[in-house]
Amino acid sequence: MAFSEPPRRRPDSLITPHKPGPPRFTGGTTSAKGDTSKAGGADKKEPAASNPPARRPASLHAHGNANVPGRGNPHLHRPHSPHRPHRRPRWAAPLLALAIVAGFAYFAFRPHMPRGGIRLPLLRSGGPVELPTPVAFPDQDTVRTREGRWVTRYAPDIILQARTQRYINQYRPEGAVVVVCDLRTGQMRTVVERDSSGTSTRPRMALGTTFPAASLIKIVTAAAVLEHGISHPLDDLPMVGGAHTLYRSQLRVPTHGHLNTVTLREAFARSINPTFGLLGMRVGSAPLRDMAERLGFNHGIKSGDAATNSAKNATDNTRSDAPVPQAEAVQGLQARINPPDTGFGLAEVASGYTTETTISPLHALRIARAIGQDGRLLPTRFTRQLESLDNGRVWTLPEAETSPFASPATLRNLRTLMEATVSTGTARRGFQRNLDASDFGRLEMGGKTGSLNGHNPPGRYEWFIGYARRKDHPDQGIAIAVMLINRTYLAVHAAELAGLVIRDWERYSPPYPDEEGRYLAGR
């Protein structure tokens, strides 16, 4: 008697795939019609068994092999057989080989790094050594080149460095850069910076290129106007509207009625924007751009500015390949200006009323030194001498060979404008608050202020650049650049901080340096 087949059930849509291989049954082979037979025998009727036979897997019912992995349904994943190893992707081997080659190249060709973490330069083929930015200023740094090891000798003003750092810690501005150099040689004397991480003597922000030049650009406009003979310090110029604003209506000079006039000297000292906007439109874009490039805008320091011939200029001529550092403090583009040909944009650039014109504190220091001394745009150098650690030889750095950016008459007129800024202009209050009449009698001082909101980093930028020279010793003087960034509060004005530094230099630094070019003890 044949037993009935168990009722068919609809297969699940999510059936766990079985391992490959034939299914196992305890009884005979069951056909689709429900009869059972044994191999090699005839059909017989058997009594009903106590236990029903094992059910056939759902994958072998009327639906065929649809749920068998890899047969009827190609979307089901075939599990990996323990006898079949996993095959790696084709891109694995090339990627591994590339990683090995890259690691070998990194360790084989990476620059030498000392324990302190300073990246040491290598001697360029056929040229001198470009030293990195000082890290241990005012102390000394060690530099390794292909020719050996060297010690960089700096020439800081130790007293002025300490007192300037004390002022920065006392006022605690949110951002500050104070750099001072010798007026005659351009040798760096003082570097103090402050940011969110604290006060430092390492020049980092001093090399920044995102700071708006603000009214410092009026120096470029005034130099172009004086050089081309368009105006002189005592010539009357129109002034329309407020002194520290700039609108299109302020660039239209009325032809009738009352008109306020100021001299070029007064416009420069008070930093009057409309007057300089009109001067910029009158002088034109080409002369303004030409004068800016003479003052170092739109390009960095050329490779031959600091040292032209190491063999000819070195003090020790026994070795012709002595490494002479170039402009190690200036890296890349330090000042940018792009005046348009005409229109309101030209007036904005000429008056400094735009954030597109940028300058670094070290570049501003170079401009102040050039105006206060001889008109030459010397590189700001930190290193005074190089001493070899291998043989003890010492090389003194030669002076740069550059030409003045303007004629002597233009330089004299620019000094007249900058002296008016200190005596009667925007820097008057900061200087008179910290220097007395005797200091004004002993010193020849000039400068230029500027202020503008910037975005990188955000805040109110305040500038002062200038110079100070002893009248009894004209060869003794300093150039100074102060930049402050105020975000939430005003700690101190830039002109006031510059007055403090100049006062301390005049009172505590001796009139002559020692044999090694340093200012040591006070009077």
Side-chain angles (χ1 to χ4, degrees):
M1 178 178 178
F3 59 90
S4 62
E5 184 183 8
R8 298 179 182 178
R9 294 197 313 171
R10 184 178 181 180
D12 273 338
S13 60
L14 297 177
I15 296 179
T16 304
H18 297 277
K19 293 183 179 181
R24 298 179 180 180
F25 302 99
T26 56
T29 303
T30 305
S31 65
K33 296 182 179 180
D35 53 347
T36 305
S37 62
K38 292 186 179 180
D43 294 342
K44 296 181 179 180
K45 295 183 179 179
E46 296 181 358
S50 58
N51 296 328
R55 275 181 50 199
R56 179 180 298 184
S59 60
L60 297 180
H61 283 294
H63 295 276
N65 296 331
N67 292 326
V68 177
R71 293 183 182 177
N73 190 349
H75 300 288
L76 292 179
H77 176 67
R78 179 189 294 274
H80 297 292
S81 173
H83 305 289
R84 183 179 180 182
H86 178 66
R87 180 180 298 177
R88 291 193 185 95
R90 296 180 178 179
W91 48 264
L95 184 62
L96 180 61
L98 183 62
I100 294 175
V101 172
F104 175 80
Y106 172 77
F107 287 102
F109 300 103
R110 65 173 179 173
H112 176 75
M113 296 289 291
R115 294 180 180 179
I118 308 172
R119 186 177 294 275
L120 300 181
L122 299 177
L123 182 64
R124 298 187 309 168
S125 58
V129 174
E130 293 183 357
L131 297 183
T133 303
V135 176
F137 188 88
D139 298 329
Q140 61 187 21
D141 288 322
T142 303
V143 176
R144 183 186 298 275
T145 68
R146 294 179 181 178
E147 297 183 348
R149 297 175 301 166
W150 307 89
V151 174
T152 57
R153 303 292 186 187
Y154 304 132
D157 188 332
I158 300 176
I159 297 177
L160 191 62
Q161 175 82 21
R163 296 185 70 88
T164 304
Q165 193 167 354
R166 188 188 72 176
Y167 291 138
I168 294 296
N169 293 331
Q170 174 184 349
Y171 290 107
R172 302 177 67 86
E174 295 174 282
V177 177
V178 181
V179 285
V180 181
C181 74
D182 187 81
L183 193 60
R184 181 177 59 87
T185 62
Q187 192 74 45
M188 293 300 301
R189 301 299 187 191
T190 299
V191 177
V192 180
E193 297 184 357
R194 179 178 174 82
D195 55 9
S196 58
S197 61
T199 306
S200 172
T201 60
R202 178 181 177 181
R204 294 172 299 173
M205 295 175 61
L207 296 168
T209 60
T210 61
F211 309 135
S215 291
L216 299 185
I217 208 66
K218 289 184 173 69
I219 297 176
V220 179
T221 306
V225 168
L226 294 171
E227 188 75 5
H228 289 80
I230 296 176
S231 181
H232 295 85
L234 299 180
D235 290 347
D236 289 333
L237 300 172
M239 175 184 171
V240 182
H244 299 147
T245 59
L246 186 64
Y247 300 102
R248 298 180 186 272
S249 59
Q250 294 179 282
L251 302 178
R252 293 191 291 266
V253 180
T255 57
H256 57 84
H258 178 72
L259 177 64
N260 294 328
T261 59
V262 292
T263 62
L264 178 60
R265 182 175 181 268
E266 184 179 359
F268 188 91
R270 294 174 52 191
S271 192
I272 300 178
N273 290 331
T275 303
F276 271 86
L278 292 170
L279 285 175
M281 297 176 66
R282 183 177 178 184
V283 72
S285 175
L288 192 64
R289 186 181 294 107
D290 177 67
M291 181 57 65
E293 292 179 354
R294 293 188 197 179
L295 287 170
F297 283 81
N298 296 336
H299 61 80
I301 291 184
K302 297 180 180 179
S303 60
D305 282 354
T308 54
N309 240 326
S310 59
K312 296 180 181 179
N313 296 329
T315 57
D316 191 341
N317 295 325
T318 59
R319 187 175 181 179
S320 61
D321 54 353
V324 179
Q326 298 183 2
E328 75 266 13
V330 181
Q331 302 173 353
L333 199 60
Q334 288 279 299
R336 295 178 176 87
I337 185 173
N338 186 24
D341 294 334
T342 57
F344 183 71
L346 179 59
E348 284 183 321
V349 172
S351 61
Y353 208 70
T354 176
T355 58
E356 299 299 326
T357 304
T358 59
I359 195 171
S360 69
L362 277 181
H363 192 95
L365 181 68
R366 296 173 61 208
I367 295 176
R369 194 221 69 86
I371 297 174
Q373 182 63 17
D374 51 9
R376 295 185 302 158
L377 205 67
L378 297 180
T380 50
R381 295 188 311 192
F382 289 85
T383 305
R384 180 180 54 87
Q385 287 180 341
L386 284 178
E387 181 179 353
S388 175
L389 294 178
D390 300 330
N391 49 31
R393 294 181 179 179
V394 177
W395 284 271
T396 302
L397 306 186
E399 292 187 0
E401 298 179 1
T402 58
S403 57
F405 70 90
S407 62
T410 300
L411 291 176
R412 288 193 300 267
N413 290 330
L414 281 177
R415 295 191 194 104
T416 300
L417 302 181
M418 298 185 74
E419 290 171 5
T421 303
V422 174
S423 59
T424 62
T426 53
R428 173 184 59 85
R429 184 173 300 179
F431 272 69
Q432 291 183 355
R433 187 174 297 175
N434 299 298
L435 288 87
D436 53 23
S438 61
D439 295 327
F440 278 94
R442 291 191 299 265
L443 295 177
E444 175 189 348
M445 296 177 292
K448 185 69 187 77
T449 61
S451 59
L452 192 67
N453 292 332
H455 308 290
N456 191 10
R460 179 74 175 179
Y461 288 78
E462 191 170 342
W463 288 90
F464 176 86
I465 66 171
Y467 59 90
R469 180 189 293 106
R470 289 191 173 96
K471 293 182 179 179
D472 53 349
H473 297 289
D475 58 335
Q476 296 294 321
I478 59 171
I480 181 173
V482 179
M483 185 194 72
L484 302 179
I485 306 177
N486 305 308
R487 298 184 182 90
T488 58
Y489 64 91
L490 176 62
V492 62
H493 288 287
E496 184 177 355
L497 186 58
L500 289 171
V501 174
I502 292 176
R503 182 197 66 181
D504 290 349
W505 168 79
E506 196 275 331
R507 294 182 181 180
Y508 300 109
S509 296
Y512 292 104
D514 65 343
E515 299 80 17
E516 296 184 4
R518 295 177 299 176
Y519 298 130
L520 297 177
R523 294 180 179 178

